[in-house]
Amino acid sequence: MALEWHYNVAGCFRSPMADIELGAYAAEAGFEGIWIGDHFVPWLDNRPYTHHILPWMGALMERVPDVTVGTCVSCPTVRYEPPVLAQALATLDNMYPGRLEFGVGTGEALNEARFYDGDWPDWGTLAGMLIEALGVMERLWESEEYVSHDGQYYQYDDMKLYTRPKTEIPLHWAAWGPQSGRCAGKYAGNLITAGDADLISDPIGPAFGDGLAENSRETAAGHVSVQLSAHVGDPDEIVDELRSMGEYTPHDELETADPREIQEIANDHLADVSDEELKDLNNVTDDPTDLVPTVERLQEAGVGRIILVSKAGDPERTIDAIASEVMPRVR
């Protein structure tokens, strides 16, 4: 199967309209899908935007006719009522059939805790909520009759979507470890991660395969997608920009719901991170062919789709460089 190339505008570095134009630029360059993060507040306070995904995706689908559009990723359990989100996504698929991809995750305190009544729950509870929410949404997408739901986390009486999707909406579960990898296979049928090739090879990939074996979906695709940060340009200038932006995500210290606190942690970490480490973390290079071995290792680990994202520098230059110098070498 040929490697797919998609692009993630992120939805936090540029204005909503600028991201529409960037998505259109990536599509024109040959990227097959456009993705956007779904956040209420950004991971870092220095990031200037967080767009609402629903109006943005509709606008992009109208502006760019030939690509799929996806969330990277949404948490459909706290900020959203699952039936209402199901209605919104069904409307998009009814208008633009077969072009919607729904990436989901269990959620982080940063985006969801301010909407949750009580102490922020553990991962097992969040995963249970996500599994149940997806079941509610899919039942609504599929049913031509009124349905009710009496579950552990959600209870609804007499629901029906009168505007239903025209096609099946692919689900992609975000995974960082074996538990989420297995859930991705079992409950979504597709996996999305920002992990590297080693993490995907073991433990995420095998767990995903186990989950797929338990999956009752006849249409489970088994796609493994990876978000890959990459920047092509003058390395010193891009590193300086990353530092000036305070652009460092401390993944192990994200229990707070306040991006200002995360930014302070990030700034402290950045003081101890060398320029070479920043280049490596963000795949910063002036020679795009430097990225070929990284992509080949991801392919060997079972990745079928690269979702490129750029945080700094000139994203159009990176898009052009990847399209001309990397895509032809690894497809």
Side-chain angles (χ1 to χ4, degrees), residues 85-95 141 161 163-165 169:
L85 183 56
Q87 180 192 28
L89 298 178
T91 301
L92 286 172
D93 186 76
N94 191 282
M95 296 169 67
W141 288 335
L161 295 184
T163 299
R164 297 173 59 223
I169 299 171

Side-chain angles (χ1 to χ4, degrees), residues 106-167:
T106 55
E108 298 282 355
L110 176 78
N111 281 292
E112 316 302 335
R114 53 180 51 81
F115 303 101
Y116 186 81
D117 185 13
D119 295 333
W120 186 241
D122 59 21
W123 183 87
T125 299
L126 293 171
M129 293 171 65
L130 179 54
I131 292 165
E132 189 172 324
L134 291 177
V136 169
M137 296 175 72
E138 290 186 294
R139 191 176 177 199
L140 285 169
W141 288 335
E142 295 166 1
S143 178
E144 297 181 5
E145 306 296 333
Y146 276 85
V147 299
S148 295
H149 178 81
D150 184 14
Q152 182 175 357
Y153 303 105
Y154 302 101
Q155 295 80 37
Y156 301 108
D157 293 325
D158 296 333
M159 301 182 299
K160 176 183 175 180
L161 295 184
Y162 282 78
T163 299
R164 297 173 59 223
K166 290 184 178 178
T167 66

Side-chain angles (χ1 to χ4, degrees), residues 10-331:
C12 56
F13 298 113
R14 295 160 292 270
S15 71
M17 189 55 71
D19 274 342
I20 292 286
E21 294 306 318
L22 184 61
Y25 190 91
E28 182 67 25
F31 287 77
E32 301 168 66
I34 305 300
W35 297 69
I36 185 170
D38 184 3
H39 302 283
F40 184 74
V41 294
W43 283 113
L44 299 166
D45 186 52
N46 287 356
R47 295 179 179 179
Y49 294 97
T50 47
H51 323 328
H52 197 294
I53 60 162
L54 295 172
W56 191 90
M57 289 194 298
L60 183 75
M61 287 174 167
E62 182 66 21
R63 170 73 171 78
V64 184
D66 297 324
V67 297
T68 59
V69 180
T71 58
C72 191
V73 297
S74 293
C75 175
T77 60
V78 180
R79 275 183 295 146
Y80 301 107
E81 284 283 352
V84 178
L85 183 56
Q87 180 192 28
L89 298 178
T91 301
L92 286 172
D93 186 76
N94 191 282
M95 296 169 67
Y96 307 101
R99 296 183 54 199
L100 180 64
E101 305 205 52
F102 190 39
V104 300
T106 55
E108 298 282 355
L110 176 78
N111 281 292
E112 316 302 335
R114 53 180 51 81
F115 303 101
Y116 186 81
D117 185 13
D119 295 333
W120 186 241
D122 59 21
W123 183 87
T125 299
L126 293 171
M129 293 171 65
L130 179 54
I131 292 165
E132 189 172 324
L134 291 177
V136 169
M137 296 175 72
E138 290 186 294
R139 191 176 177 199
L140 285 169
W141 288 335
E142 295 166 1
S143 178
E144 297 181 5
E145 306 296 333
Y146 276 85
V147 299
S148 295
H149 178 81
D150 184 14
Q152 182 175 357
Y153 303 105
Y154 302 101
Q155 295 80 37
Y156 301 108
D157 293 325
D158 296 333
M159 301 182 299
K160 176 183 175 180
L161 295 184
Y162 282 78
T163 299
R164 297 173 59 223
K166 290 184 178 178
T167 66
E168 181 171 349
I169 299 171
L171 304 178
H172 304 258
W173 184 301
W176 278 99
Q179 287 181 298
S180 52
R182 177 177 169 272
C183 286
K186 184 173 182 178
Y187 299 107
N190 301 288
L191 179 148
I192 190 168
T193 184
D196 59 20
D198 289 340
L199 192 66
I200 295 166
S201 294
D202 186 25
I204 295 178
F208 177 57
D210 291 342
L212 282 175
E214 302 175 56
N215 192 323
S216 61
R217 302 165 183 271
E218 295 181 0
T219 56
H223 282 307
V224 177
S225 302
V226 166
Q227 178 174 285
L228 179 67
S229 175
H231 306 77
V232 178
D234 183 287
D236 293 334
E237 291 181 2
I238 293 174
V239 165
D240 287 346
E241 185 178 352
L242 288 167
R243 287 194 184 280
S244 69
M245 295 166 63
E247 192 54 47
Y248 181 88
T249 306
H251 290 287
D252 295 332
E253 303 179 57
L254 298 178
E255 295 303 315
T256 177
D258 192 332
R260 295 167 294 186
E261 294 180 14
I262 297 176
Q263 187 69 67
E264 291 177 3
I265 296 169
N267 292 342
D268 290 342
H269 277 278
L270 271 172
D272 298 324
V273 175
S274 70
D275 287 354
E276 285 304 314
E277 288 173 312
L278 264 186
K279 291 177 187 177
D280 290 342
L281 283 169
N282 294 281
N283 292 302
V284 177
T285 182
D286 55 5
D287 181 359
T289 62
D290 289 342
L291 298 170
V292 171
T294 298
V295 175
E296 288 177 337
R297 286 194 295 272
L298 289 168
Q299 280 187 294
E300 291 169 2
V303 172
R305 176 184 290 170
I306 302 292
I307 304 176
L308 186 73
V309 63
S310 300
K311 304 174 184 178
D314 181 352
E316 293 183 357
R317 178 177 177 180
T318 297
I319 287 168
D320 289 340
I322 296 295
S324 62
E325 301 294 332
V326 182
M327 286 186 188
R329 288 174 164 82
V330 292
R331 282 187 184 277

